[in-house]
Amino acid sequence: MNDLLQAALVGLARRIACMEALLGRARSFERLRQKADDIAAFLQAAECRAQSALALLPAPQDLLDDLARQYNGIAREVYLVEQLVVGPLSRFSSEDEKLSSLSERICKEVGIADIPIVLAASSQYYSAIPEYGLIFTPPIDSQTLLNLPDLYHELAHHLDGRGRVLVGPRFESALESYVDRAEDEIARLSRPIDLRDFRHRIAFWQDWRLEVASDAFATLLVGPAYAWANLHLMLRVPSIFRYSESHPADAARMDFILRLLRSNTHFNSDVESIERKWRAYQDLSHPAKPDLYDLLHPSELFTAVLDDVRAAIESRDLRVAPLAPGTVAALLNEAWRKLLERSPDYAAWEAEAVASTFA
Amino acid sequence: MSTTKTYSDFRAITELLNRLNAALITAKRLALRITPVPDAAEIADATEVLRDFLEQQQKERAPQTAQHPGTSSSPFRVKTLPALTLDAQEIDRFLAQLRKGLATLAPQHLEFLERVVKELDQSSESLYRQMARL
């Protein structure tokens, strides 16, 4: 076992050296230079830990389990960084440059100093890795405008994950009151609900709150285009009432986004139009609401998150002006309006808009 | 679970795992007189890692009134770390012993520590499998 561990640790150190060489490619892009240095520092720390373990070999039987565990922990971190970060950064393309430049423009418009790099390398949908200041989009999103409102949602994850916390005391206090009240009601009315199950599931809000905060952030900053993009996304996932540990139900999120838009009279005509289509879509057949749906999606928790997000935006002096002419948000709203009003002409209009936006 | 959350949890848990496991190795080398004997810097580092971790665990298990307002009846615990199966008395006993010096830890303390790192290891592996799609 000593030999095997020794070989594995030497192999890991060699892998780290190869990754550092790959990062050299990323350094040729000005905007990636600092990021490449940060990742190299992380890899060097991993290598130090690997060398410390290697220095203890050959080791007596009593330490072998622990040294194997040490190798496992370091290797997992290194391999994931290779897969998620070093790989995409070392293949940084013109599409990534376009999206990263758009991200920079959005951040400047909004007043965000910590600008994420955007990589058109997602194998899923949009996602963010705030630890490395990265946002991932599907590969073609530098060629189309319709999904880009989701960039603002990921921007919220980016900010929150890097210490600019979006959800705080208002939500925590609202949750506490809500749980007390709901449990009291369940007991008082002898509702056939397992309290333990309720407590287990209401704790999903630990993760839900940031998803809802990111929806609020994006809706405030982009306006109706975010609601359109969300409705569009829902067409691909018809279980609109399904919720998971990580995300509240799409239907509840859509209702929240619309409630938020309704509070701004500038959006009246858009909101009317989105609501009409949202109702029509709800009228189609959908899988039924799962257990505890209504109890887990009370509007007061969504509202409390929104209050926290508004306070965070205000305290950071971020600019909320989704319809300001010439902004990315205004362009995304125009894109959705054009698509819905003149679908046949949309492709040509979008091609031109993309060419000038990403020029 | 979203990629963002999964990676964030993975990173936090795995970094803690690596630090605690390295401290466990140092403590074992001392307790079992394994050569090379850890130097003063390694001992100080391991002691600090263990003390910080256990004091944090102690705080989390403190009576609710001592915590932040607004969390008293919340179903949330401090997130990211898995719910470790440690009881407050075990933590207190370990910390009391640790204050006497890392070299004074006995086999039962090492077993306690080993159980913690094994739990973290399982969480780290499970999140790794999700992220790496293994």
Side-chain angles (χ1 to χ4, degrees), chain A residues 216 218-224 256-272 274-275 306 310 320-324 333:
Chain A
T219 307
L220 288 167
L221 266 59
V222 192
F256 166 62
I257 292 165
L258 285 169
R259 270 203 308 279
L260 174 45
L261 286 177
R262 243 181 267 129
S263 66
N264 186 335
T265 50
H266 290 106
F267 300 143
N268 279 353
S269 66
D270 288 287
V271 173
E272 227 169 80
I274 301 166
E275 274 185 331
L306 170 62
R310 280 193 201 276
V320 177
L323 300 182
N333 280 297

Side-chain angles (χ1 to χ4, degrees), chain A residues 57-76:
Chain A
L57 294 172
Q61 195 63 34
D62 288 325
L63 273 192
L64 285 181
D65 270 350
D66 310 306
L67 287 169
R69 196 182 302 114
Q70 195 70 0
Y71 165 77
N72 284 335
I74 302 166
R76 279 178 213 142

Side-chain angles (χ1 to χ4, degrees), chain A residues 3 51 54 70 80-81 140 146 153 172 185 199 237 263 265 279 305 336 353:
Chain A
D3 289 354
Q51 294 297 349
L54 197 53
Q70 195 70 0
L80 264 193
V81 165
I140 61 142
L146 299 175
H153 175 102
E172 281 170 13
E185 192 187 298
R199 284 185 74 80
V237 278
S263 66
T265 50
R279 274 198 298 274
V305 170
W336 274 101

Side-chain angles (χ1 to χ4, degrees), chain A residues 69-70 76 124 128 207, chain B residues 4-5 21 28 76 124 133:
Chain A
R69 196 182 302 114
Q70 195 70 0
R76 279 178 213 142
Q124 307 169 5
D207 291 348
Chain B
T4 306
K5 184 73 176 61
N21 194 52
K28 273 194 178 177
F76 296 171
S124 159
R133 312 242 172 97

